[in-house]
Amino acid sequence: MTISTRTIGNGSAALTVSGLGLGCMGMSDFYGTRSEAGSTDERESVATIRRALDLGVNFLDTADMYGPHTNERLVGRAIAGRRDEVVIATKFGIVRDPATGARGGISGRPEYVHAAVDGSLQRLGIDHIDLYYQHRVDPSVPIEETVGAMAELVAAGKVRFLGLSEASPETIRRAHGVHRLTAVETEYSLWTRDVEAEILPTLRELGIGLVPYSPLGRGFLTGTITSTDALDEGDFRRANPRFVGDALDANLTIVEKVRAIAEVKHVTVAQLALAWVLAQGEDVVPIPGTRRVARIEENAAATEIVLTHEELEALGDLGAAAGDRYADMSSVNG
Ligand SMILES: NC(=O)c1ccc[n+]([C@@H]2O[C@H](COP(=O)([O-])OP(=O)(O)OC[C@H]3O[C@@H](n4cnc5c(N)ncnc54)[C@H](OP(=O)(O)O)[C@@H]3O)[C@@H](O)[C@H]2O)c1
């Protein structure tokens, strides 16, 4: 299998990456019990990252707040000696106490940006970050000031390309006016298609790539989660509106429809969900997360699936998920 590449961003902001990336968040946080050691299963997680690189999946996604801090360290250990093979994306802006994990708000202040990048570089064990995102927009700081500081990091050689996560079309335009953006990372999948209304058209007009996070619906669109009972006590999804109550039942019917199409096509539910995201454009690079070697192999193989017009239509007609993406939606689309 050869993973083809895709280019996100235009002109001086163009970055070529594998057509599918690897989300590393769940190796240390949110999906399972947060681990002080940096990973719920360090050995399998490191093996998963290295297997991804062997397969040609070179686009790794992390953030300073995953762990917090431990996920960047884990990624750093996994890529040691292989820096040239990797495109590293990380993020700043959601403040968390490294000892307790407690949230401390959002910061886009220039001095915070300068301090954050040095921490990420040190933890990742690298001398430059390939793609640096603001994780959430800070409503108390004009985006021009935050992106101005991020542009200084590019000038200093600490960062190659810039992006935003969960930003509104207006914020994206203003940011892009200060320094060309390469990508916007936001949630996009079969059951989360809000981005299609305004954000994706804005990105296409400006020549910015889309990096869909949670392309597997945080694991739900793989057909392997039917209740929260099997999830660890500390798992974020136990309190996610889509995984509980009536929403859960409604959402299970979506998965069963995906499963029916997957069975006819002889692919897995996860592969079909990824193939649909991949079919949305050459400027779209999903970053499914897994901490297991077998699953990065399965997910990477989705890049070879070709969907017919009828299959795309059937998948596109499944409808949106019941329930909000987050229990608290206040910090998204900033
Ligand atoms: N910018 C943001 O605000 C933001 C927010 C959320 C996530 N992200 C990024 O996006 C990445 C991906 O999103 P995500 O991890 O939230 O969700 P996702 O990719 O939609 O799903 C990940 C979940 O699916 C499971 N999974 C993966 N492949 C599977 C397969 N083939 N079969 C069955 N289960 C499978 C994983 O479990 P196992 O690990 O056990 O395989 C994990 O629980 C994250 O890692 C993170 O880097 C960014």
Side-chain angles (χ1 to χ4, degrees):
M1 175 174 50
T2 311
I3 308 277
S4 57
T5 58
R6 291 185 173 189
T7 298
I8 46 178
N10 263 353
S12 60
L15 172 64
T16 298
V17 296
S18 53
L20 178 128
L22 173 62
C24 299
M25 177 185 83
M27 297 173 181
S28 309
D29 209 350
F30 293 99
Y31 306 152
T33 302
R34 198 170 67 86
S35 151
E36 297 307 317
S39 171
T40 45
D41 183 344
E42 162 99 18
R43 212 160 47 150
E44 181 75 1
S45 293
V46 167
T48 302
I49 292 172
R50 294 190 178 150
R51 183 70 185 128
L53 299 184
D54 293 342
L55 290 166
V57 174
N58 68 1
F59 186 35
L60 303 183
D61 190 85
T62 179
D64 58 6
M65 69 85 85
Y66 299 159
H69 293 181
T70 52
N71 194 238
E72 287 185 331
R73 291 201 186 95
L74 171 77
V75 171
R77 287 193 288 279
I79 62 160
R82 300 183 71 170
R83 176 65 182 98
D84 294 349
E85 295 172 57
V86 193
V87 178
I88 299 258
T90 191
K91 318 179 198 81
F92 73 91
I94 302 178
V95 183
R96 287 179 79 189
D97 182 332
T100 63
R103 299 260 182 153
I106 293 171
S107 181
R109 286 180 292 113
E111 60 274 25
Y112 181 84
V113 176
H114 281 278
V117 77
D118 289 339
S120 289
L121 288 169
Q122 190 260 329
R123 288 185 291 273
L124 287 160
I126 58 181
D127 65 6
H128 69 273
I129 290 161
D130 296 297
L131 177 55
Y132 201 40
Y133 297 101
Q134 182 183 25
H135 208 155
R136 290 287 182 277
V137 175
D138 180 348
S140 70
V141 177
I143 193 68
E144 289 80 2
E145 286 182 26
T146 304
V147 176
M150 293 168 75
E152 287 167 8
L153 305 181
V154 176
K158 295 182 179 184
V159 166
R160 289 174 63 214
F161 299 101
L162 303 182
L164 300 180
S165 174
E166 291 287 0
S168 68
E170 194 209 331
T171 303
I172 293 167
R173 269 183 208 287
R174 285 169 55 197
H176 195 65
V178 175
H179 185 99
R180 289 184 92 143
L181 299 181
T182 291
V184 166
E185 180 171 311
T186 196
E187 186 165 352
Y188 187 38
S189 66
L190 266 177
W191 72 354
T192 305
R193 298 179 53 187
D194 333 36
V195 74
E196 291 174 1
E198 287 185 75
I199 292 174
L200 195 48
T202 303
L203 298 182
R204 289 194 163 142
E205 179 198 324
L206 300 175
I208 302 169
L210 175 67
V211 174
Y213 77 70
S214 303
L216 294 169
R218 300 184 182 271
F220 202 91
L221 295 172
T222 67
T224 57
I225 299 175
T226 52
S227 83
T228 54
D229 295 348
L231 301 177
D232 283 358
E233 277 307 310
D235 196 301
F236 156 91
R237 294 167 291 192
R238 279 183 170 268
N240 183 279
R242 294 183 169 179
F243 286 73
V244 293
D246 292 345
L248 173 74
D249 295 334
N251 291 332
L252 283 170
T253 66
I254 296 181
V255 176
E256 286 321 304
K257 289 178 192 159
V258 183
R259 191 192 303 282
I261 302 171
E263 280 176 2
V264 173
K265 204 164 171 69
H266 303 294
V267 298
T268 67
V269 178
Q271 287 175 324
L272 190 60
L274 290 175
W276 181 86
V277 177
L278 287 161
Q280 303 313 306
E282 283 292 311
D283 52 352
V284 176
V285 180
I287 47 167
T290 181
R291 50 195 167 180
R292 301 171 205 233
V293 169
R295 286 182 172 169
I296 185 62
E297 291 171 351
E298 177 184 335
N299 296 347
T303 60
E304 299 196 319
I305 296 172
V306 179
L307 299 177
T308 64
H309 180 69
E310 291 72 26
E311 288 162 344
L312 278 169
E313 279 211 333
L315 290 165
D317 283 346
L318 293 179
D324 280 341
R325 299 195 282 126
Y326 289 94
D328 175 3
M329 292 286 287
S330 62
S331 70
V332 298
N333 285 319

